[in-house]
Each structure stands twice: as structure tokens, then as C-alpha cells.
Amino acid sequence: MRREFLWSLALLAMAATARLEADDKQAPPPAPVRPSPSPPVATPGPARTSPAPTPEQSADAVLAARAAKDDARLGALAALDEPDPWLVVDLLLTRGKSTAADAFARAAPRKDVEGLAAHIASRIEKPLDRPARDALAAAITAHGEGNDPRAIEILGGGPSSDDPIAAVRAGYVKGLALRGARRLVESAEAFEIAGAQAKAIGWLARADRSMYEAGMSAMSASEWRHALAAWEARIPIAKARGDDRAVAVTLGKLSSISKSLSDYPRALEFEEQALDIWSGLKDRVGIAEALGHIGSLRQALGDYPRALEIQGRALALQRELDDRAGIARTLGHMGSLESALGDYLKALDLTEEALKLHEELGNKAEIARTLGAIGNIRHYLGDCRGAIEVQGRALQMMEALGDGAGSALTLGSIGAIHCSLQDYPRALEIQQKALALKESLGDRTGIASSLENIGLIYQSQGDDAKALTFYKRALVIREELGDRAGVAAVLGSIGYIHEMLEQFQEALETQERALVMAQRLGAQELVLERLAGLAHTLLAHGDAEQAVEMAHRAVDVLGRLSSGLAEEQGTKTREQYEKVFEIGARAAVLRDDASEVAFFLESGRAATLLEALGGRDALRAFVIPDELRMEEARARATEAGAQEAHTAALDRGVRAEIRVTKKTLADAQSKVGEVIERIQRQAKAAASVVYPKADALDVIEGRLKPGEALVLYGVFSETALALVVSAKEARIVPLGKAKEIRDACDAENWDTLRMLVVDPLGLTTEVRRLLVSPMGALASVPFCALAPAQEIVYVPSGTTYGVILDEVKKRGDRVLALGDPDYTHKDGAREGAIIRGSRRMLAPLPATRDEATAIGDHLLLGADATESALRENLLSPQRWHAIHLACHGIVNAEKPKLSALALSKGQFLTMIEVFRMKIQSDLCVLSACDTARGKVYATEGVEGFVRAFLFAGAPRVIVSLWKVDDRATQALMTKFYELWNPIGLKIGLPAATALRQAQAFVRAQEKWKEPVFWAAWQLWGLPE
């Protein structure tokens, strides 16, 4: 209190020196001056006047204004420089009031003025440097009138250093004038000099502001390293002032500059430091902004799972703050991440939500940009015509806004779409137009991007030499800009062209250089791309040894990228890099190395399931946070309401209403999926689930019994192979062209497939049981029809088979059988229940009652076959020998986790719910249509019911490949249980043996001899 009292007295003394006694009597007493905030963050440009003083500066402002009445020249100077204690003291000293100045300095309650006493002592008895003061005043006037060249001319080298206040002010004004004249580098240098001089005398507020302006001028000039130095120099000054906000803002600037320099690890370090400060200040706006930047940097580093989680945190904060512009921005970022993860439908939903917000806010620039993003997503989804239409709308808006840079970017996207359509002349025309526009704007980054796009068009047309010319031009610009990520990417393209031109030495050198740059950046996705590119070049060059090594390294990086993702996201991430496994396997074939072939085939399949199985118990033990539990409950309630509304709309038959409610239902179901994915990601992080490694070939061989053979199929982009593994040996079998196999799968031509994928295996009569690990479309092939001499068992991979085998528990007893669910519609007027989200009816399955009754010990029939009754029995502590579910199966190929088993009273058991269960049963039989189907991935296999029940704990799962005949299925299942689970104490046949004999029993009957009646059934998991 005493210091504040002295401070007020000192201010009154200064007022007296201004000889404004009359004004003093009328004005309210000045308040103590508190620390001023940091300068506002603004887009740099020619500054004419400084921002208005804050309320905390009111005392300084009032007194300075009074001084201005006495001396207009000094008043103008004070108004420009935001009066602070140093300016007050300077006014006092110029009037010879050193005693008042000294009292003022001693009473000042902030760190900025610790050097004032020494300054006052150095100035006493020294004459005022009038020429310097007059020059400063004239320069201020010229700058204020917009005559910056005149201001620069007046100041020249600046006032004498004998008058430090004048020297600092002169340097600061000169920086402003140079910026106004667009001499930005010189402006930054002038501000830096002024900042150093201010810091030397202890004028911290002016040192802080000068370094801020130096950084802004350097950034405006795109002189990133110069800007980096200026902002770094500001940090200790802001810390000395105790201004944490200024430190956080500056760290954000340093992060932005480091990102412009493609130094993403350093940018991330700066932004995380800023986040710590904003968190300490409990500044939710700052926290949300920092989280958004961190998410973007994680994305740039290829860490998509972490980036998505962080952006989700930012979005939650922005929703709390009702920051609609921030919400829209973050939704756009999350859409971009979902695109990178391959979930384009979810990306489209997020980006369209962002567009709606931007439209409500009326932000035309963001509307145009978001339309461009939607166009890109539609392009990824294969909707090229729709993408061109949306991009055309974006282009019109950008042209109307005069946004040349945005127009050029959009033209590039439109050109890329035409390239996808193989309309190369039109694509080239548009890309050249984009290039010309970027050149007129001086957008060198954009120029490089257009040159790369044009190079890609020539490359697509087979003109590699011309493509190389454009790529090299782009490389020069990327290098001059210091864009290391861009350099690494274009080097990869150049390396590939050299490879196509059979210039292998140049290709290798270029790919190696690109890899080194990517590794220095720490961008994992870019490292993965470059490792794959180098491995491909080595393979083309015939260096199989090195190609295998590079492919191994790529697999390791991919594991780090996809580890910890939710099930579907992890699968899609691995699917994007299928080529890594193909390159490794093909290189291993050249080496005739079955062990390495096994490694790449095993690493490239069922990895998501394997990861989940490895941490299954830990994941189940994960305690879901209350906020996520509530969010899931709300999402499910919304889904139920949307389902009811859609069903009612279907009953009324009003098309417009049906469309609306269908969209609402789809949105609600997507929201449920999103919450589940968040729970999965957090569970894996909390449980520290480790990304699994493929088992070595000798370990896989050791699990196989005499008479068993495991076949690992590899159906790649052009070629196909199989690795046949037995307890004694492993053989690599080439299978010819992959396209022929895929075509035969699409045509369901089993005879052709037998010749293509079974006959070449050379299986002897000693092989009684075939464990098939399919790839891609082969997962939907009935191998029992292709290899009738063997028992057929499907396994996700040899490694997964081992995990399931190791988990074998004590044999359960009794069979839980569900059948003949009540599909009567609630109004009783229809023969079957409505499939949710569809107008299609579920027909009754009367034969399933007989089927369930014939095989079950505990029955759930008719109206009792409800979800609650089934759930209660599935989760019971006893271990079942089998769980048999005879009902309709509904497969959602686009969103497999929404696939479901249809039960009584309009209830459904979804895949999501199965994943959350712990099912104790030796066998689960899904005696329903299409239960083997789902979303097919080249690497992971089929994402469907099999994966869900294996994860839930069933070591064996029987499913169907197509719509099965009700009566034939009843006969087959009844026979299967007679053989596998005979009445009495006898031990039945192994599951694989029993299924093969049951299929033979049905096939032997004339009316069911065709494969459609018996070949649909697959046994996944353990054969015995």
C-alpha cells in the first residue's frame, strides 16, 4: 500500500511539472499503474498509431495527454509510444524535474522500471540533445502522414547514443517507417537494434515491443530464420517482465516459424511449452488454440491417432466456450485426419458439419476453403463428378473474393480430379492455368506444387523424361524455400522416375537422400513412404537383400503409426501401406527365403485383431471415464430415438420423411461408433497395449500337427503367391497374375479358382487338414468346394492361430441355442420385422426352431429370443460348449461394427456390443445369412462377425458366406452337432472333421447337391 501511495504522489508531482493545475483540480486522481499486457498479436503491416492504452495505463495516459496540451510535439511522441513510466520520466527530465523523476522511479511498482534510477542519474546535468529530439519529432510526423521515405531519410543512422531514450524511440519509429515502405528485412533489423538498446538500459516494455515488431516484420518478409532469432530474443525479456502470456504467445510464434521451416519436432516442442503455460494460467482459449496447433503438428509428423485425440480435446473445449469459429476450424482438421486414416465417410461428415457452421457465421473465405476440402474427400471416395462440381463452387467463391492463392489451389485440385479420370489434356490445361496464377502471385510454394502436379500428369502419360524436368524444377524451389518435407517428397518422385528410366544408381542415390531428410524431420509417415520407395527401387534393381532390409524397417515404422488406434482406424492405416508387405514378400521370393516371406505375409494380415487379442484382458479391465460413459449412453439413446422415428416414417411411407429420418439415423449410428472408437483408443493407451510382432516361421511350423498344412496367401497388385507350411517344411508357390484370381473371385467361378489357387499347391494325400489364411477377396471363397479332399479351417494368420491355441480353456458343457426369433411387426399387420434403416422386411425362420431344439440344452425361442435374454446367458459365469444363434444376420459393409444379428421384438445384437463382451464358449455358430461377410481389406482380411467373436473369447466360430437355405441349414447343423457333440459322455469329432462330414451329408442328398446348399459354411479358429 505504501508503494502505491508513493506512486500516486509521484504521478501528482509530474502533473505539477506540466503546469496544469486547473486540470488537476477537475480530473479524477490517477490510479496506480499495473503491469501492461503484451502487445496484441496482429497481422503485420504499416503501423500508423499504436493501440489505445489499456485501463491499467489510464494514469499514464491522462498525464501524458495533459502534457500534450503544453507541448504538442512531445504529446504526439507520447501518443505514438503508449506512455509508460519511462516516458513519464523522460518528460520530467526534459523539463528539468529530476527530483520528481527520481521519486517517480523509486515508487514505480513494476520490474520494467528497475533501471530507471540509473537512467535518471546518467541524465542529470547532461544537456538535452535537441537535434536528436527534433529529428525524432519530424520523423514521427512524417510517418504519421504516411510519408515513410521522408521519415527514413530524417532518421538516417538515428539520434546520438548519448540520449538513450531518443535513440530507442528513433530505432522503433524507423522500424515502423521501413515496414511502411515494405523494406521488411531492414525494418526487422531496426526493431532489433532498438530492442537491444532498450534492454541495455532496462526499458523492458520497449525492448519487448521492439522484438515483437522485429519478429512480425521478418515473418512478413518470409525470412523465417531471422524471425526465429527475433522471437527467441523476446522470450527472456518477457520472462523478466513476468509476462507469462507474452511468453506463451511468443512460443506459439516460434512454433509457427519452425513449422514453416519444416522443423516439426521443434515446432511441437515450442507449442507444448506454450500449452503448459496456458494451462497454468487456466486460459481455456489459449489451451484450445495450443491443442489445435499440437494436433496439426502431430498430423504433420504422421502421428494420426494422437493428432485425432488432441483435436478432440480442443473441440470439447471449444464447444464449452461456444467458440463456433474454432469448432468449425477443428472439425475441418479432424476431417483431414480421418481422410489420412482412410475413413473418408467420417471425414465427409465432419467437414460438412464444419461447412454448415461457416455458412451460419457468414465466413465466405472459410466456406470456399471448406468446399474445396469436401471436393477433395469426394475425390477420394471416387465421386469424381461430384468432386468437380463442389470444387467448381469453391473456385467461383474464391474468384469472387479475389483470393488468387485459393483459386490457384482449387484449380490444382480440379486438375488432379481430371487426372484421375485419365483426362490428361484437360488436367494439364488446368494445372498450367494454376501455375500461371501462382507465378503472378509470387507464390513459390504453390509454384512448386503445380510443377509437381504437371510432372505427375506427364508421368501418368508415360512421358517420364518430361516429368523429370518438372520435378527437378520443383525441387530447386523447395530447396530454396528450405521446405525439407517438400524436398523429401519430390525427391521420392524423382527417384521413382529414375527407376522407370532404368537409371538405378541415380534412383538409389535420390531415394536415400529423401530418406535421410525424412528421418531428420521425424515425420513418420514421410519416413515410411521413403522407406517403401527405396525398397521398391532396390527390388527393381535386383538387390533383394537390401530391399528386404528396407521393407523390414518400413514395417516397424508402420507398427508405430498404427499402434493404439481403434480397430477400424488401425486396419485402414495398414491398408494404405499394403505395398510395404508386397515389396518385402516379393523381395524375399527372389531370395527364395521362406522365413522372410512368412514374416511379411504374417505382418501384413490380422494385425489389428492380433493387437487386440494381445491386450484383451487389460482392455476389458479398463475403467471407462464417466464423461465417456455418459457420452456413450447419450449416443445410444439418440440412436434409439432415431431408429424409432425412422421406423415410423417407413410405416407412413412418406418418401421425404424417410430420407430425413434415414440421414438422422445414420448420423446417430456414426456417433455411437465414434464414441466406441474413443473408448478403444483410451483403453489401449491406458493398458499400454504393445503392437504385436509376427511369429517366426519355425514357431509357426512347431504348432502344426502331422497331416496339417497352413497356406498363407499373398494376392498383390500384379502377382500372387502362396506359402505352404507344414511341420517339416515351408514352400513358396507362385500363383501367377493377381488379376485372374480377383476376377474369378468376383465371378464366383469355383472351378477356375481351384486351378488358380489350390491345384498349384501340390498337396499330397498326407495333407488331411488345410489351415487357410486368405488375403483380400479369398476370405470369401468356399475352400471346402475347392479342396474337398481336406478338412478346411480358416485362420486370420499363423500368429493369431498361435494366440488362440495358447488360450485353450477347459471344455465347457451344454449348448445355448437361440432360434425362430419373433419377427412379427408391432402392429401385427406384417409378416416380418423391419430391418433398421431399411424398408426391407425380415421373413420368419420357422425351421430354426427345429434346428435349435434339436441341438440345444438351453433354449431361447420365439418371443424369448431377445437381446436381454441372450446377453444374460452370454455373460453368465458358466462356460458353454457351444452358443448357437439361428436368426437373420444383417451386414453393413461400409460400417461393419453396425452389422447385427436380428433378434425378437425388433432388437439387435451389434458387432460393437459383441466386441465389448467376454464370451465363454468352446464354439460360436452364427447360423444366419452372410455372417462371414463384412468389409474386406487386403491386409487385415474381413472385418466382420468372425473378428468380433474371436476377440470376445470364442476360439472357434462357424459363419456363412451367403444367404443360406433354411431347411438345408437345419439338416447340416443337426448333423454337425450329432458328430461334434454326441449325446452321452462320448467325445465327439474335431470341429473341422464334423463340419466336413456334415457338408458331405447334405451334398449327398440330390435336392441339395449344389454348393449353394452346403459350401457356404466356414470354420474359423481352432480345428479341434
Side-chain angles (χ1 to χ4, degrees):
M1 291 295 294
R2 183 173 180 275
R3 287 182 64 83
E4 291 185 359
F5 177 70
L6 289 174
W7 175 247
S8 298
L9 288 178
L11 289 173
L12 291 173
M14 194 216 78
T17 68
R19 298 188 303 277
L20 299 172
E21 291 84 355
D23 286 342
D24 288 338
K25 294 175 183 177
Q26 297 173 9
V33 178
R34 294 188 293 273
S36 301
S38 302
V41 178
T43 302
R48 297 301 175 203
T49 59
S50 297
T54 63
E56 288 82 356
Q57 295 168 314
S58 58
D60 291 335
V62 168
L63 294 169
R66 292 171 184 166
K69 296 179 183 178
D70 184 56
D71 189 328
R73 184 177 60 193
L74 292 178
L77 182 147
L80 176 70
D81 288 299
E82 296 179 352
D84 67 13
W86 283 80
L87 300 179
V88 173
V89 164
D90 191 54
L91 284 170
L92 289 168
L93 290 175
T94 58
R95 300 176 185 282
K97 303 296 182 180
S98 59
T99 301
D102 185 62
F104 182 89
R106 285 187 289 106
R110 60 185 187 185
K111 294 181 179 180
D112 291 6
V113 297
E114 289 178 353
L116 264 177
H119 172 70
I120 293 168
S122 70
R123 298 301 304 156
I124 293 175
E125 306 301 334
K126 282 189 178 181
L128 194 66
D129 189 343
R130 284 294 176 188
R133 295 280 176 163
D134 291 341
L136 175 60
I140 291 171
T141 300
H143 172 69
E145 293 173 350
N147 192 352
D148 289 313
R150 176 59 181 156
I152 297 166
E153 180 185 353
I154 292 170
L155 289 174
S160 166
S161 60
D162 289 341
D163 192 343
I165 294 287
V168 170
R169 287 172 173 248
Y172 187 85
V173 173
K174 186 176 180 180
L176 293 175
L178 287 164
R179 180 189 289 167
R182 305 308 297 167
R183 292 161 61 178
L184 296 172
V185 175
E186 294 173 82
S187 169
E189 292 170 349
F191 281 127
E192 286 172 317
I193 293 170
Q197 290 174 326
K199 183 180 179 183
I201 62 174
W203 188 2
L204 297 183
R206 182 48 54 88
D208 177 81
R209 183 58 182 257
S210 296
M211 289 306 179
Y212 172 89
E213 299 293 356
M216 297 302 280
S217 288
M219 287 177 72
S220 295
S222 298
E223 291 288 340
W224 305 118
R225 299 198 182 279
H226 193 162
L228 197 68
W231 288 114
E232 286 180 326
R234 189 192 186 207
I235 293 284
I237 298 170
K239 286 182 176 179
R241 298 182 70 207
D243 191 345
D244 288 340
R245 291 182 183 278
V247 175
V249 168
T250 305
L251 287 165
K253 294 291 185 185
L254 288 167
S255 175
S256 175
I257 295 165
S258 297
K259 184 178 179 181
S260 297
L261 290 168
S262 298
D263 191 347
Y264 301 117
R266 194 177 187 198
L268 182 61
E269 182 182 342
F270 284 132
E271 202 64 67
E272 287 178 336
Q273 291 176 35
L275 176 62
D276 287 342
I277 295 174
W278 292 123
S279 299
L281 293 169
K282 294 182 171 55
D283 186 323
R284 293 193 297 167
V285 174
I287 292 169
E289 186 173 345
L291 284 170
H293 292 314
I294 290 171
S296 295
L297 289 165
R298 289 282 183 187
Q299 182 175 359
L301 286 166
D303 188 355
Y304 299 138
R306 182 73 173 139
L308 197 59
E309 185 269 329
I310 291 169
Q311 293 288 12
R313 288 168 57 194
L315 182 64
L317 262 178
Q318 288 161 339
R319 291 195 191 280
E320 288 176 15
L321 295 165
D322 195 26
D323 176 9
R324 297 172 73 204
I327 292 168
R329 184 173 58 250
T330 302
L331 285 169
H333 289 316
M334 294 177 74
S336 173
L337 280 163
E338 293 291 3
S339 288
L341 288 166
D343 195 338
Y344 300 123
L345 290 173
K346 187 176 292 183
L348 188 61
D349 289 342
L350 290 166
T351 313
E352 286 181 339
E353 185 181 350
L355 175 64
K356 184 178 179 181
L357 275 173
H358 287 311
E359 288 173 336
E360 291 173 358
L361 293 167
N363 189 332
K364 292 183 179 180
E366 285 298 327
I367 292 170
R369 186 195 63 77
T370 307
L371 281 170
I374 290 171
N376 288 334
I377 296 169
R378 289 197 177 279
H379 182 198
Y380 299 146
L381 285 167
D383 181 10
C384 292
R385 299 301 175 189
I388 289 174
E389 187 273 329
V390 174
Q391 293 287 13
R393 289 168 55 197
L395 181 61
Q396 287 179 347
M397 289 194 70
M398 289 174 180
E399 288 175 340
L401 290 166
D403 182 357
S407 298
L409 184 64
T410 306
L411 282 168
S413 296
I414 295 172
I417 300 169
H418 281 287
C419 191
S420 296
L421 292 169
Q422 297 185 1
D423 186 355
Y424 299 122
R426 179 64 174 151
L428 188 59
E429 175 189 344
I430 294 171
Q431 293 290 7
Q432 287 171 336
K433 185 178 178 181
L435 175 61
L437 183 51
K438 291 172 183 178
E439 288 174 336
S440 70
L441 295 167
D443 177 9
R444 301 182 72 219
T445 299
I447 292 169
S449 179
S450 287
L451 289 169
E452 291 161 15
N453 289 335
I454 292 171
L456 179 59
I457 293 170
Y458 282 117
Q459 181 180 340
S460 300
Q461 291 178 299
D463 193 342
D464 293 328
K466 189 166 284 188
L468 187 60
T469 300
F470 280 92
Y471 284 143
K472 285 184 174 179
R473 286 174 59 189
L475 178 62
V476 170
I477 296 174
R478 297 284 188 193
E479 289 176 331
E480 289 174 352
L481 290 170
D483 180 3
R484 292 186 291 170
V487 169
V490 75
L491 280 172
S493 298
I494 290 172
Y496 184 75
I497 293 293
H498 281 306
E499 180 184 324
M500 292 299 99
L501 293 171
E502 298 187 355
Q503 299 167 348
F504 292 113
Q505 191 58 41
E506 292 91 337
L508 289 173
E509 290 174 357
T510 306
Q511 293 284 16
E512 287 170 351
R513 183 181 165 201
L515 175 59
V516 169
M517 294 200 73
Q519 289 171 327
R520 287 176 179 170
L521 280 171
Q524 293 300 302
E525 184 183 20
L526 193 55
V527 170
L528 178 55
E529 287 284 356
R530 300 284 59 84
L531 283 167
L534 182 54
H536 190 279
T537 299
L538 288 164
L539 179 59
H541 191 38
D543 190 345
E545 189 80 25
Q546 288 295 312
V548 166
E549 180 185 341
M550 290 301 119
H552 262 285
R553 291 170 60 184
V555 170
D556 288 342
V557 174
L558 180 54
R560 292 195 294 273
L561 271 177
S562 54
S563 181
L565 282 170
E567 307 299 325
E568 191 171 356
Q569 291 173 335
T571 297
K572 288 177 177 177
T573 299
R574 276 180 285 275
E575 188 77 359
Q576 287 180 298
Y577 298 101
E578 175 195 354
K579 61 184 178 183
V580 170
F581 306 110
E582 175 180 351
I583 293 168
R586 286 172 52 202
V589 169
L590 286 181
R591 290 174 48 181
D592 194 26
D593 189 333
S595 295
E596 290 292 5
V597 171
F599 170 81
F600 289 109
L601 292 179
E602 282 285 305
S603 298
R605 66 188 66 208
T608 301
L609 175 61
L610 192 59
E611 180 183 20
L613 289 174
R616 185 165 52 194
D617 292 340
L619 296 179
R620 288 194 181 121
F622 172 67
V623 179
I624 302 174
D626 288 341
E627 65 273 15
L628 271 181
R629 193 185 303 278
M630 290 301 297
E631 189 174 348
E632 182 185 4
R634 286 193 294 268
R636 290 191 182 280
T638 301
E639 181 192 18
Q643 175 64 63
E644 186 174 344
H646 185 54
T647 301
L650 289 168
D651 288 342
R652 288 189 287 273
V654 180
R655 290 186 178 182
E657 187 180 353
I658 290 171
R659 283 196 298 270
V660 172
T661 56
K662 184 177 182 180
K663 175 65 165 60
T664 302
L665 176 58
D667 291 343
Q669 291 171 340
S670 292
K671 183 62 179 176
V672 172
E674 289 172 14
V675 178
I676 294 299
E677 286 174 357
R678 286 180 59 198
I679 291 172
Q680 288 175 341
R681 288 195 300 270
Q682 290 197 22
K684 287 183 178 182
S688 300
V689 175
V690 178
Y691 186 77
K693 298 292 185 183
D695 283 340
L697 179 59
D698 59 347
V699 174
I700 294 173
E701 289 173 336
R703 296 192 183 109
L704 299 176
K705 296 179 179 180
E708 289 184 339
L710 167 66
V711 183
L712 299 170
Y713 283 101
V715 183
F716 303 121
S717 56
E718 295 182 3
T719 61
L721 63 88
L723 184 69
V724 183
V725 185
S726 68
K728 298 178 180 179
E729 64 173 355
R731 295 181 289 109
I732 302 170
V733 180
L735 297 179
K737 295 180 179 180
K739 185 178 184 303
E740 293 180 358
I741 295 174
R742 284 192 287 266
D743 289 346
C745 289
D746 292 340
E748 297 185 354
N749 190 329
W750 310 141
D751 290 335
T752 300
L753 274 173
R754 181 186 303 110
M755 291 186 294
L756 292 173
V757 303
V758 174
D759 290 349
L761 302 181
L763 300 175
T764 66
T765 55
E766 293 179 359
V767 178
R768 298 186 303 277
R769 178 179 294 157
L770 204 61
L771 278 65
V772 177
S773 179
M775 185 175 187
L778 285 180
S780 300
V781 169
F783 274 82
C784 61
L786 273 56
Q790 283 84 28
E791 299 171 1
I792 304 297
V793 184
Y794 294 79
V795 294
S797 70
T799 307
T800 310
Y801 177 66
V803 172
I804 299 171
L805 194 61
D806 290 343
E807 291 181 343
V808 173
K809 304 286 196 323
K810 183 179 178 181
R811 184 180 185 275
D813 60 1
R814 305 182 71 200
V815 174
L816 168 65
L818 177 149
D820 191 21
D822 182 4
Y823 292 141
T824 303
H825 191 260
K826 62 182 179 182
D827 62 10
R830 302 196 181 190
E831 294 182 351
I834 295 173
I835 298 176
R836 58 181 183 174
S838 169
R839 300 187 71 179
R840 189 161 58 90
M841 305 298 294
L842 289 174
L845 299 173
T848 61
R849 176 180 288 268
D850 296 336
E851 179 182 325
T853 302
I855 62 181
D857 301 310
H858 184 77
L859 302 176
L860 297 174
L861 302 174
D864 294 330
T866 62
E867 180 187 4
S868 57
L870 176 60
R871 183 186 294 274
E872 180 181 350
N873 282 279
L874 289 179
L875 299 178
S876 66
Q878 79 168 71
R879 184 173 183 83
W880 298 96
H881 190 39
I883 294 171
H884 187 94
L885 307 177
C887 56
H888 277 297
I890 302 167
V891 175
N892 188 326
E894 283 303 317
K895 298 178 180 178
K897 283 191 173 59
L898 297 180
S899 296
L901 298 174
L903 306 174
S904 292
K905 300 181 180 179
Q907 298 175 357
F908 299 86
L909 181 68
T910 66
M911 269 182 57
I912 288 177
E913 292 163 330
V914 175
F915 267 109
R916 299 280 289 279
M917 292 180 175
K918 183 176 182 179
I919 296 176
Q920 299 190 83
S921 178
D922 302 335
L923 168 70
C924 285
V925 179
L926 308 186
S927 183
C929 299
D930 299 317
T931 49
R933 293 192 176 274
K935 193 157 189 175
V936 179
Y937 295 98
T939 55
E940 192 67 21
V942 178
E943 185 172 7
F945 286 110
V946 170
R947 181 197 298 264
F949 278 89
L950 286 175
F951 177 80
R956 302 167 190 83
V957 183
I958 293 179
V959 287
S960 64
L961 284 169
W962 51 72
K963 296 188 183 304
V964 293
D965 180 83
D966 201 13
R967 292 298 176 184
T969 298
Q970 176 193 349
L972 187 145
M973 289 300 169
T974 302
K975 174 59 71 174
F976 168 77
Y977 278 95
E978 287 177 2
L979 299 170
W980 179 71
N981 186 40
I983 297 174
L985 300 177
K986 294 187 297 180
I987 300 297
L989 297 175
T993 308
L995 180 59
R996 178 168 176 265
Q997 291 188 17
Q999 288 172 319
F1001 169 76
V1002 172
R1003 186 178 61 211
Q1005 301 184 50
E1006 182 64 25
K1007 60 182 177 180
W1008 293 330
K1009 66 180 180 179
E1010 297 300 326
V1012 67
F1013 292 103
W1014 54 268
W1017 299 99
Q1018 294 180 320
L1019 169 64
W1020 284 82
L1022 301 184
E1024 297 183 350

